Amino acid sequence: SKNNNLQNLDIRAMLIEGDTIYAGSYGFGIFISTNYGESWETSNNGLTLMHILSLARCGERLLAGSWRGVMFYSIDNGKNWEILSLDFNNADINHIEVIGSNIFAGTSLGLYLSKDCGDTWTKVNPPLDSKSIYSLLLNGEYIYAGSSGKVGFFRAKLSDFGISDVQEQVVQSYKISIFP
């Protein structure tokens, strides 16, 4: 167990960059370790909400999604935080995925997209506009979203969201011969 100086063990989000680990806690903000988790320091300067549900990076911005629809950012690797956006209609920001300057935010009220590293946000169209999105995954030309209850699992092409700077994957076929 690597809990040295962690005030809260309810960790909802993690981001690893080299030897630095960022941990978002539910109720105590953000903790940072610069030695692979051996010790931790709090990093809450500027945070107005301490329930951190998601972490990611877009360019120089370190992003932290919280409950009640507030996304914070830091440009000094978590030393200081500012509010990036309040555009999420008070929804919990459960998961953040980044591809280039595009950010997907899975919230308790649906999926949001920013194409400019978080400066502006739009809510996506059906079927992901009103579902509680708890997990996101980017893989190749697709985004996958996990929801709760009987809603389940979704997949969409990134090009459906106007993201065209993603290389389409080419499936190669191989001819296999088997001899006795």
Side-chain angles (χ1 to χ4, degrees):
S1 175
K2 300 291 182 188
N3 298 325
N4 189 16
N5 290 343
L6 278 176
Q7 296 172 0
N8 185 332
L9 302 181
D10 190 354
I11 304 300
R12 301 289 176 104
M14 290 190 298
L15 177 67
I16 298 175
E17 296 179 324
D19 62 352
T20 302
I21 303 172
Y22 301 92
S25 74
Y26 196 75
F28 286 83
I30 297 173
F31 297 91
I32 299 176
S33 172
T34 57
N35 56 10
Y36 301 102
E38 291 296 324
S39 62
W40 298 89
E41 299 290 329
T42 58
S43 179
N44 295 331
N45 188 36
L47 288 180
T48 56
L49 294 170
M50 298 298 156
H51 294 72
I52 304 301
L53 305 174
S54 51
L55 294 165
R57 181 172 298 276
C58 187
E60 68 176 12
R61 290 179 176 169
L62 181 61
L63 306 171
S66 72
W67 74 329
R68 296 191 179 166
V70 180
M71 186 171 297
F72 298 95
Y73 78 100
S74 172
I75 57 171
D76 58 7
N77 295 319
K79 292 182 181 114
N80 298 288
W81 295 93
E82 296 182 43
I83 293 175
L84 177 62
S85 180
L86 301 169
D87 292 337
F88 302 98
N89 297 317
N90 210 31
D92 296 348
I93 304 170
N94 297 317
H95 196 109
I96 305 168
E97 282 290 328
V98 177
I99 182 166
S101 62
N102 303 289
I103 306 171
F104 288 94
T107 76
S108 57
L109 294 176
L111 186 65
Y112 288 79
L113 173 62
S114 172
K115 294 185 176 185
D116 52 17
C117 264
D119 289 334
T120 58
W121 292 88
T122 56
K123 196 169 187 187
V124 303
N125 293 323
L128 297 176
D129 60 334
S130 62
K131 311 294 188 282
S132 290
I133 305 298
Y134 289 100
S135 58
L136 296 170
L137 176 67
L138 293 167
N139 188 14
E141 64 192 84
Y142 291 98
I143 183 166
Y144 299 86
S147 189
S148 64
K150 296 181 181 180
V151 177
F153 181 81
F154 295 90
R155 181 185 81 173
K157 280 194 167 191
L158 293 172
S159 58
D160 293 343
F161 299 99
I163 300 172
S164 59
D165 56 346
V166 177
Q167 294 289 332
E168 298 283 331
Q169 291 183 344
V170 177
V171 176
Q172 296 181 355
S173 63
Y174 297 95
K175 189 173 185 178
I176 298 175
S177 299
I178 300 175
F179 296 96

